[in-house]
Amino acid sequence: MRTLAKDAVNKIGEEITLMGWVAGRRDHGKIIFIDLRDRWGVVQVVFSGMPSSGELTKIPDISRDFVLADKLRPEWVVEIDGIVKERPKGMENLELATGKIEIQATRLKILSEAKTSPFDVLSDGREIGEDNRLKYRYLDLRRPRLLKNLTMRDKIISFIRDYLHKKDFIEIETPILTKSTPEGARDYVVPSRLHPGKFYALPQSPQQYKQLLMVAGIERYFQIARCFRDEDTRGDRQPEFTQLDLEMSFASQEEILALTEELYADIIETLYPDKKISQRPFPRLTCKEAMDKYGTDKPDLRKDKNNPNELAFAFIVDFPMFEWKDAEKRWDAVHHPFTKIRNPEHEIRKENAGRLMAYQYDFVLNGCEIGGGSIREHNPEILEKVFEIMGNKKEDIRRQFGHLLESFEYGVPPHGGIASGVDRLVMILEQEPSIREVIAFPKTGDGRDLMMDSPSEISKKQLRELHIKTAD
Ligand code: ASP
């Protein structure tokens, strides 16, 4: 049975079997040292050509395996039997968790050889060009820093799931092949083979589905959801990203914010006990206050911006409902059209658009917007008015949003929700400069996957089946 490198310390005197990668090899003539790495740690293995101690003379194959050990190179995958021994006094390596022991090898099997890696996989990797790292991402991910990022990401996500399940939320998957949702970005579209000339859209968020789940009586929904937005290259964006998407029925804005606050404070306390949250309750600033005082709607409220362990969460509330889009000469929703307006119903008219306020909130951490949400308008007539203010014709509204408006005619509970970015949260907590460092297989700034070489051309046959002609 296999023993993990980290567990060898508990097996002094026993013969164990290790499996993993060669992290390093030092050849001292009659002795070869191998650092053997698996996901959990590194342990030193010793191959000595001339066995002297009692137990080693029993080993018939030792010289053959010594010769084999001499061939080992970094990143080869091996299986090694050996006896766990305490290292001689003075030879311990206190920097290594297994530094007080070493494994006296009794058998070596090479499971696979490895070409020389295009870069060092054990450094922190910041010195290596990103294109190269992304092309060989499966090697880049061997780096302890990236392994830690993925491990902490998993811990955060599983903490969120446990936490919300305890509060009676249900995680529900919503479709990836869907219809366009207006969330302010361009859609990725997927041609339909069975319905010539028609297209699915990948969801910019599960917004309409989660609202329909409220109509369905789910009351408390969440999803670790993948969202797709076809935006121009802008800063640290990815064409697809992950968010904690959440929706509740019969909940006030304050209840949604309080739940969010408690969840995030618990994540920090449990998984990042060295970090300090600047202020509890998280400050709630109106959009106007934030703009007047800090000149931004995502202020960085840290007391000491050089302190990497300080976390300043804040909620920004009371956003205007609409903003004027000069290029398009129309009003657009600041958040999205499904947001409830705070003003009384009779004020909801186009000529008032500029002064209508919304039940919208943003969630901010250290000057970074990590989430946002709103209480939704559940009156179909008002929702139709909102779409009209945004310049949509009545028949277009019915065509695009008829399903949602109609569902609201069958007993809709008041509801609201929030969505918080998982990638950005992990990035900030792990003090990484980019979300690409916390996503297993990210795309480049211009949306390419250098490892898979996508996007890529497809065959003429595929195009024909999809009823698509390309321009060139
Ligand atoms: N769907 C919104 C977004 O992705 C969040 C929400 O309103 O719940 O930003």
Side-chain angles (χ1 to χ4, degrees), residues 44-83:
Q44 175 167 291
V45 180
V46 187
F47 289 86
S48 35
M50 274 185 276
S52 53
S53 70
E55 71 253 278
L56 285 177
T57 48
K58 288 190 277 167
I59 299 155
D61 279 346
I62 190 69
S63 4
R64 196 209 59 171
D65 284 7
F66 183 87
V67 174
L68 211 53
D70 198 37
K71 275 180 63 185
L72 292 180
R73 291 293 176 274
E75 302 307 308
W76 286 28
V77 184
V78 292
E79 179 180 322
I80 296 173
D81 290 349
I83 297 156

Side-chain angles (χ1 to χ4, degrees), residues 174-175 178-183 187 202-210 221 223 225-229 241 243 245 336 338 419:
T174 52
T178 174
K179 187 173 163 171
S180 171
T181 307
E183 301 256 357
D187 288 318
L202 305 184
Q204 293 186 33
S205 90
Q207 184 63 36
Q208 294 185 60
Y209 285 107
K210 67 175 175 175
Y221 143 95
Q223 181 178 194
R226 196 65 65 81
C227 304
F228 305 85
R229 299 186 188 178
F241 59 92
Q243 64 184 27
D245 194 46
H336 52 56
F338 312 109

Side-chain angles (χ1 to χ4, degrees), residues 13-55:
E14 291 177 40
E15 186 166 34
I16 60 169
T17 302
L18 295 163
M19 294 182 198
W21 285 259
V22 173
R25 187 186 66 113
R26 290 175 300 287
D27 194 339
H28 289 204
K30 291 191 175 134
I31 289 193
I32 297 168
F33 293 100
I34 299 292
D35 292 330
L36 185 95
R37 181 186 84 236
D38 62 23
R39 204 185 98 197
W40 296 270
V42 173
V43 67
Q44 175 167 291
V45 180
V46 187
F47 289 86
S48 35
M50 274 185 276
S52 53
S53 70
E55 71 253 278

